[in-house]
Amino acid sequence: MTNSNPSSRYPLSSVSETHSLHCGYVTLVGRPNAGKSTLFNTLLGQRLSIVTAKPQTTRDRILGILTRPDSQLIFLDTPGLLEPQYKLHESMEHQIQTAVRQADVVLLLIDATRPRDRLQLVQAFLAANTRPLVTVLNKIDLVDTGRVAGLRHLLSSELGLESILPVSALRGDNLDELLSRLITLMPSGPRLYPDDMIAEQPERFFVAELIREAAFNNLENELPYALGVTLDEFREGTDKTYIAAVLHVERQSQKGIVIGRKGVRLREIGIQARREIEAMLERPVYLDLWVKVRRDWRRRQRDLSEFGYHG
Ligand SMILES: Nc1nc2c(ncn2[C@@H]2O[C@H](COP(=O)(O)OP(=O)(O)OP(=O)(O)O)[C@@H](O)[C@H]2O)c(=O)[nH]1
Ligand SMILES: [Mg+2]
């Protein structure tokens, strides 16, 4: 992964090249669990955004750059559309709004296995949206081909959506067609990022996210949602990168669960996270995980800011 300096954001193409280039921002929007991060990763050919089977995995706006000879698409993955219950949710909603304001095209994902999932939230989003829209019906690999026409009809009558493209983010079905549609909607202009740049957020951000992903996968019920991750140390050693991270929970009782009997659960989270972090950094890692209680952090603006969630 390249994590170059964002200040290198200036027109990089020559004037003659610029005419034929299509460059701009595509913001992925949809209900939690619709497959936004999966689609984002598949389109980029890189596992940048964390994915779990649980809803509300993504909490931030995540930027990924796809540079092709004819185009540069800058994808923004976002948290799922929901009704805010915590300050954390308000920060997630703010991330969606910021990403949508940046968008040249909004890419709306509907989960084909749950097409009616909180339709009124999607309706409200569409009513307020002023950006060009492309809609995909995702997880098409999980539904019978015969059902697609019915789903299209449903989305047309309930949401006024037409020309919906059925895709499978997981298998990659129809993604070439999706990319062609997106590119034709992009403004002509120069590339906005260097050709070899894939991500903008620093490595530290992705490391904390991979730890959160491993924790999400090993915890049940409310616990994944009550958990925030910060890095205390990130130090390059001669043969290993040393990373110390804190898993913050909201209550003392949750701390015991995250650690598990004889520390088994925390160890498992550490093993899984380290494997993924080493794959990303392409070097050996020593990962030190700690669990701390930060009472009700999801409701407190100061804690949210400290954990990197911006309001
Ligand atoms: N079968 C199938 N599963 C998919 C597909 N796309 C995503 N999934 C699964 O759906 C679940 C949720 O995927 P995510 O990509 O995390 O969904 P998201 O929209 O980013 O969810 P939030 O971050 O919670 O808003 C994961 O278990 C994915 O593997 C698909 O095309 N087919
Ligand atoms: Mg996501």
Side-chain angles (χ1 to χ4, degrees):
M1 180 190 332
T2 309
N3 62 337
S4 323
N5 184 347
S7 66
S8 55
R9 246 196 216 221
Y10 48 80
L12 295 155
S13 332
S14 68
V15 175
S16 57
E17 247 192 319
T18 299
H19 290 301
S20 51
L21 285 176
H22 295 272
C23 301
Y25 288 84
V26 180
T27 298
L28 282 74
V29 175
R31 283 281 293 149
N33 216 44
K36 299 176 294 299
S37 303
T38 306
L39 182 61
F40 176 86
N41 290 340
T42 307
L43 288 170
L44 291 165
Q46 186 111 356
R47 229 173 70 77
L48 265 192
S49 195
I50 63 168
V51 168
T52 78
K54 298 183 177 73
Q56 294 183 44
T57 300
T58 307
R59 292 177 181 166
D60 274 288
R61 169 171 105 253
I62 297 168
L63 184 144
I65 306 155
L66 180 66
T67 301
R68 312 206 324 173
D70 59 341
S71 58
Q72 186 171 66
L73 298 182
I74 301 141
F75 291 100
L76 294 169
D77 188 14
T78 68
L81 296 167
L82 45 77
E83 278 143 4
Q85 288 172 336
Y86 295 94
K87 270 238 168 319
L88 172 64
H89 292 158
E90 288 171 23
S91 151
M92 286 157 65
E93 194 171 81
H94 179 79
Q95 296 293 331
I96 301 171
Q97 282 164 9
T98 308
V100 168
R101 269 200 303 276
Q102 252 180 300
D104 292 295
V105 172
V106 166
L107 176 53
L108 174 68
L109 278 84
I110 307 280
D111 184 338
T113 66
R114 306 183 67 203
R116 288 185 177 278
D117 181 30
R118 307 303 303 272
L119 268 184
Q120 68 279 29
L121 277 175
V122 181
Q123 262 158 356
F125 171 80
L126 288 171
N129 180 49
T130 56
R131 301 291 193 237
L133 185 79
V134 169
T135 309
V136 295
L137 189 61
N138 187 35
K139 308 193 188 180
I140 208 72
D141 55 295
L142 295 179
V143 300
D144 294 336
T145 331
R147 283 196 58 212
V148 174
L151 288 166
R152 277 208 169 105
H153 180 73
L154 171 85
L155 297 175
S156 158
S157 58
E158 300 276 347
L159 296 172
L161 296 170
E162 305 297 339
S163 66
I164 296 160
L165 186 66
V167 303
S168 168
L170 199 66
R171 289 200 319 212
D173 299 356
N174 267 348
L175 298 192
D176 284 342
E177 168 65 21
L178 173 61
L179 279 176
S180 309
R181 285 193 192 185
L182 293 173
I183 289 168
T184 55
L185 290 167
M186 285 297 121
S188 300
R191 294 201 173 100
L192 302 167
Y193 288 88
D195 287 8
D196 62 349
M197 193 167 162
I198 297 162
E200 184 182 54
Q201 277 133 319
E203 268 173 353
R204 288 178 70 108
F205 169 81
F206 293 105
V207 166
E209 284 289 271
L210 288 173
I211 296 168
R212 205 162 59 78
E213 182 182 58
F216 248 68
N217 285 330
N218 283 278
L219 299 168
E220 295 303 324
N221 305 320
E222 180 64 7
L223 251 173
Y225 306 105
L227 192 122
V229 176
T230 56
L231 295 196
D232 265 6
E233 243 188 289
F234 187 99
R235 184 163 31 86
E236 300 285 348
T238 38
D239 41 47
K240 279 196 179 187
T241 301
Y242 175 78
I243 299 168
V246 182
L247 281 63
H248 302 269
V249 291
E250 293 193 312
R251 317 233 172 285
Q252 192 62 35
S253 57
Q254 294 171 337
K255 182 172 169 175
I257 301 174
V258 173
I259 294 171
R261 261 172 63 101
K262 296 185 178 162
V264 169
R265 188 168 287 116
L266 187 61
R267 203 154 39 242
E268 188 53 39
I269 293 171
I271 290 168
Q272 288 181 20
R274 181 167 53 81
R275 196 183 311 138
E276 296 301 325
I277 296 166
E278 286 181 335
M280 178 184 75
L281 299 179
E282 295 177 340
R283 63 187 318 247
V285 163
Y286 185 90
L287 182 62
D288 211 358
L289 294 184
W290 301 84
V291 185
K292 289 186 183 164
V293 179
R294 183 75 73 96
R295 261 201 113 63
D296 291 327
W297 68 263
R298 274 182 294 177
R299 299 179 191 275
R300 295 174 199 267
Q301 190 54 55
R302 255 196 29 215
D303 291 336
L304 290 175
S305 308
E306 196 187 315
F307 290 5
Y309 300 116
H310 303 290

